[in-house]
């Protein structure tokens, strides 16, 4: 059946059920949103209105929430008695995706329905994810993409039962979220004069301004779209480093208020970081207040990666500030800042999540670590009683090459094949059971320095995200079996027009 991710338990029985124009839908309490999703993803493409029915029967799809089930667990039964989807509190959108994959692949085609009857094999599935954090990050700072593409990425993530879209909304090269209180963040910070061409060391530029941003209204729409599909948007406002775009908009946020610093055009780590004055902290809290209004999820990502201290060391103002705060040195400044921001988020009922550099300053209570430099940050966090998401650059940075660089479009570097991704297991050996419990899951990273278009994002994302999704779901097994299943699954991607890397046959050893 080529299901991806592979369900935890599946048994087939002889027989076929058929979805037709006469099929009805019975939605129990709390299943209304999933019923709408089912009508959109399956009813529409099948040419069936899935009209409400009062009684479950052979010609109905029944949706029910069972609060006894784990949050994202679901059961799917297809038999002569009809179809029944039973989900935990967040399980039904996942069950809908499985039913969708059980239908012929042309259910994924746009346009007029190709059949009058849509067969589904009789099957019993009991399924639940191993990991609660199954994510994908898109860097919309290094390149801006139309909001429609963000909707599509949510759809594609949800198809693979991923449940987090982490949006890297700000960086040195662009600020992408409308903040009403600080309009220059997007008027100035969303635009750079030009973009690097070729590899970083070549120093070549295209001479073409690049920019764009998302309005709060667009982002609220994205949040709602994602929520209906079981996906939480995790916004990232990277601080106190990676802040050149904000400093370009408001120079007083930087070390020298009289310095005119353009939005960065080069990739890499920039030395200019936030000056940690009370006014800057007030700015950060004000920005976050608007972020919290738009993004209702529990987790707010504050970056924290790659914040050089050189500018702070050289700054008389900052050295005086460090003394005034009674800190041992500039090295302690980032930890002090992170603690304040974490307290602010906690005061609003949210949790700080950050890259593993935030460990150095001592983790604030409840903070979650995204371990990217290696798995060590995640291990250290878990052992210190903190939760962690494993995203070591190898194999979860999907901006890395996926095959021989000589035959691939330009990428930042590295090499992470589909098979490498499939072999990944998010819980490192050697963690005891309690610490292992705190490894929430894993996530793919699409840093976009070398991903200028949505099609190129798709090329780098698929099929590797199919593999990561199964790893995160917890049912990854032997690679050849997965690769064979992927050959069937790609028909779905073909109907959806996904610009995935071919040929998959080569990966499958055929
Ligand atoms: C990162 O790659 N700087 C998180």
């Amino acid at each position: 059946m080529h299901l991806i991710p592979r369900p935890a338990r599946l048994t087939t029985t002889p027989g076929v059920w058929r979805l037709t124009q006469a099929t009805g839908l019975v939605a129990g309490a709390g299943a209304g949103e999933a019923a709408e999703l089912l009508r959109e993803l399956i009813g529409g493409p099948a040419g069936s209105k899935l009209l409400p029915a009062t009684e479950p029967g052979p010609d109905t799809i029944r949706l029910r929430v069972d609060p006894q089930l784990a949050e994202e667990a679901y059961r799917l039964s297809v038999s002569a008695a009809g179809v029944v989807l039973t989900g935990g509190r967040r399980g039904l959108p996942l069950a809908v995706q499985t039913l969708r994959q059980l239908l012929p692949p042309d259910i994924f085609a746009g346009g007029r329905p190709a059949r009058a009857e849509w067969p589904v094999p009789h099957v019993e599935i009991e399924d639940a994810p191993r990991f609660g954090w199954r994510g994908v990050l898109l860097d919309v700072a290094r390149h801006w993409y139309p909001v429609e593409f963000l909707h599509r990425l949510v759809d594609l993530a949800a198809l693979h039962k991923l449940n987090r879209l982490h949006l890297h909304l700000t960086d040195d090269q662009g600020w992408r979220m409308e903040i009403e209180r600080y309009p220059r963040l997007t008027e100035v910070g969303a635009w750079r004069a030009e973009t690097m061409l070729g590899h970083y060391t070549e120093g070549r530029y295209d001479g073409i301004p690049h920019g764009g941003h998302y309005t709060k209204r667009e982002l609220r729409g994205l949040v709602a779209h994602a929520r209906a599909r079981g996906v939480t948007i995790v916004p990232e406002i990277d601080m106190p480093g990676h802040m050149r775009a904000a400093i370009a908009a408001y120079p007083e946020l930087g070390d020298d208020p009289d310095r005119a610093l353009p939005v960065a055009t080069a990739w890499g780590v920039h030395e200019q970081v936030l000056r940690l004055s009370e006014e800057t902290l007030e700015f950060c809290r004000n920005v976050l207040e608007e972020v919290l209004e738009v993004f209702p999820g529990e987790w707010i990502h504050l970056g924290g990666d790659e914040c050089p201290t050189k500018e702070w060391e050289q700054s008389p103002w900052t050295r005086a500030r460090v003394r005034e705060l009674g800190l041992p040195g500039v090295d302690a400044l980032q930890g002090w800042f992170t603690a304040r921001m974490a307290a602010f988020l906690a005061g609003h009922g949210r949790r700080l999540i950050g890259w593993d550099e935030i460990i150095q300053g001592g983790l604030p209570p409840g903070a979650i670590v995204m371990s990217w430099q290696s798995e060590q940050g995640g291990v250290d966090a878990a052992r210190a009683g903190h939760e962690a998401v494993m995203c070591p650059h190898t194999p979860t940075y999907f901006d890395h090459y996926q095959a021989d660089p000589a035959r691939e479009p330009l990428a930042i570097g590295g090499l992470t094949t589909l098979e490498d991704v499939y072999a990944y297991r998010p819980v490192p050996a050697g963690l005891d059971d309690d610490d292992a419990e705190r490894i929430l899951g894993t996530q793919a990273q699409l840093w976009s320095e070398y991903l200028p278009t949505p099609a190129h994002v798709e090329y780098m994302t698929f099929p590797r995200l199919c593999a990561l999704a199964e790893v995160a779901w917890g049912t990854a097994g032997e690679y050849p079996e997965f690769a064979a299943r992927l050959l069937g699954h790609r028909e779905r991607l073909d109907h959806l027009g996904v610009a995935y890397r071919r040929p998959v046959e080569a990966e499958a050893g055929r």
Side-chain angles (χ1 to χ4, degrees):
M1 296 176 196
H2 311 302
L3 301 180
I4 292 187
R6 187 163 62 86
R9 289 184 58 186
L10 177 152
T11 47
T12 52
T13 49
V16 168
W17 177 87
R18 287 172 208 285
L19 170 66
T20 70
Q21 288 186 19
T23 303
L25 195 60
V26 184
E33 206 171 25
E36 282 317 303
L37 187 66
L38 188 68
R39 286 197 176 96
E40 181 185 337
L41 296 182
I42 294 176
S48 173
K49 291 202 166 59
L50 295 176
L51 292 173
T54 42
E55 288 291 315
D59 209 7
T60 67
I61 301 173
R62 182 181 183 199
L63 297 176
R64 48 185 289 269
V65 175
D66 179 355
Q68 305 295 325
L69 288 178
E71 204 176 45
E72 290 188 296
Y74 72 91
R75 292 200 207 104
L76 196 162
S77 167
V78 181
S79 72
V83 175
V84 183
L85 276 56
T86 310
R89 228 167 33 78
R90 291 160 58 91
L92 282 177
L94 301 164
V96 168
Q97 296 292 349
T98 302
L99 180 60
R100 196 179 173 209
Q101 290 197 15
L102 287 169
L103 285 152
D106 43 310
I107 196 73
F108 289 86
R112 290 159 64 94
R115 314 159 184 256
E117 293 192 338
W118 296 78
V120 183
H122 288 179
V123 67
E124 300 292 328
I125 292 174
E126 269 185 57
D127 203 7
R130 162 80 173 78
F131 294 104
W133 191 291
R134 306 182 303 279
V136 54
L137 170 151
L138 181 64
D139 170 8
V140 294
R142 273 53 173 267
H143 279 98
W144 175 87
Y145 311 99
V147 73
E148 293 75 19
F149 179 63
L150 307 189
H151 283 242
R152 177 170 165 91
L153 190 59
V154 165
D155 295 344
L156 292 171
L159 166 63
H160 295 88
K161 298 189 173 67
L162 296 173
N163 64 357
R164 308 275 183 266
L165 173 63
H166 172 170
L167 283 183
H168 184 75
L169 286 164
T170 66
D171 214 303
D172 298 309
Q173 300 83 3
W175 182 288
R176 304 286 173 230
M177 177 178 173
E178 173 191 24
I179 301 292
E180 285 169 80
R181 194 166 172 150
Y182 300 107
R184 285 175 61 82
L185 285 174
T186 44
E187 287 166 11
V188 174
W191 289 89
R192 62 174 177 261
E194 56 183 353
T195 296
M196 276 196 131
L197 287 175
H199 264 134
Y200 176 75
T201 47
E202 296 171 33
R204 290 191 291 127
Y205 292 85
D206 65 0
I208 303 168
H210 177 88
H213 75 275
Y214 306 108
T215 65
K216 289 166 85 170
R217 187 189 158 87
E218 285 174 325
L219 292 170
R220 284 196 184 96
L222 179 68
V223 166
H225 181 83
R227 203 189 77 110
R229 286 153 179 77
V231 176
T232 301
I233 308 285
V234 179
E236 178 181 356
I237 307 291
D238 202 346
M239 54 180 79
H242 286 284
M243 265 284 178
R244 276 270 306 255
I247 299 169
Y250 295 98
E252 62 272 25
L253 296 171
D255 185 57
D256 178 0
D258 296 325
R259 173 179 57 185
L261 197 64
V263 175
T265 55
W267 312 134
V269 177
H270 293 267
E271 279 168 11
Q272 301 82 14
V273 302
L274 292 180
R275 163 192 271 203
L276 296 183
S277 63
E278 285 309 316
E279 292 76 15
T280 299
L281 267 66
E282 192 58 24
F283 165 87
C284 293
R285 287 189 289 260
N286 289 339
V287 165
L288 290 177
E289 264 177 18
E290 295 195 32
V291 170
L292 300 186
E293 272 171 34
V294 172
F295 299 101
E298 182 180 349
W299 311 278
I300 304 294
H301 203 299
L302 297 191
D305 56 321
E306 299 174 322
C307 180
T309 54
K310 182 171 170 194
E311 198 178 65
W312 291 341
E313 279 156 26
Q314 292 175 349
S315 160
W317 188 94
T318 294
R319 289 203 306 272
R321 173 80 166 148
V322 165
R323 283 193 298 279
E324 172 197 311
L325 292 170
L327 297 173
V330 293
D331 288 346
L333 207 45
Q334 185 176 347
W336 171 85
F337 170 77
T338 305
R340 255 133 214 90
M341 290 300 122
F344 173 80
L345 292 178
H348 288 75
R350 310 294 185 95
R351 289 174 72 188
L352 181 147
I353 181 161
W355 300 111
D356 51 59
E357 286 92 333
I358 67 169
I359 295 174
Q360 291 155 22
L363 285 172
I368 302 172
V369 167
M370 270 193 179
S371 194
W372 74 277
Q373 298 181 85
S374 70
E375 289 185 321
Q376 194 57 48
V379 168
D380 293 346
R383 290 198 168 129
H386 285 263
E387 291 175 331
V389 178
M390 286 299 193
C391 13
H393 55 76
T394 306
T396 73
Y397 273 28
F398 286 7
D399 53 337
H400 289 184
Y401 285 105
Q402 51 194 321
D404 180 1
R407 284 188 301 223
E408 286 293 304
L410 182 74
I412 196 163
L415 177 62
T416 292
T417 65
L418 179 63
E419 191 164 0
D420 294 335
V421 176
Y422 196 68
Y424 185 58
R425 299 293 178 266
V427 176
L431 274 190
D432 71 29
D433 289 351
D434 286 346
D435 296 342
E437 276 296 304
R438 287 189 280 274
I439 304 299
L440 298 179
T442 186
Q443 174 172 294
Q445 276 55 240
L446 292 155
W447 300 109
S448 64
E449 288 94 330
Y450 296 89
L451 311 183
T453 63
H456 201 72
V457 173
E458 290 185 6
Y459 178 83
M460 297 303 272
T461 306
F462 296 100
R464 288 186 292 187
L465 196 65
C466 307
L468 185 110
E470 190 155 298
V471 167
W473 193 258
T475 51
E478 297 299 319
Y479 179 73
E481 187 279 326
F482 167 75
R485 205 155 15 95
L486 188 60
L487 287 175
H489 180 65
R490 77 169 184 176
E491 284 189 51
R492 301 179 185 119
L493 302 183
D494 284 334
H495 281 298
L496 290 168
V498 177
Y500 62 85
R501 180 177 178 273
R502 300 159 196 261
V504 182
E505 284 86 349
E507 316 286 359
R510 295 191 182 185

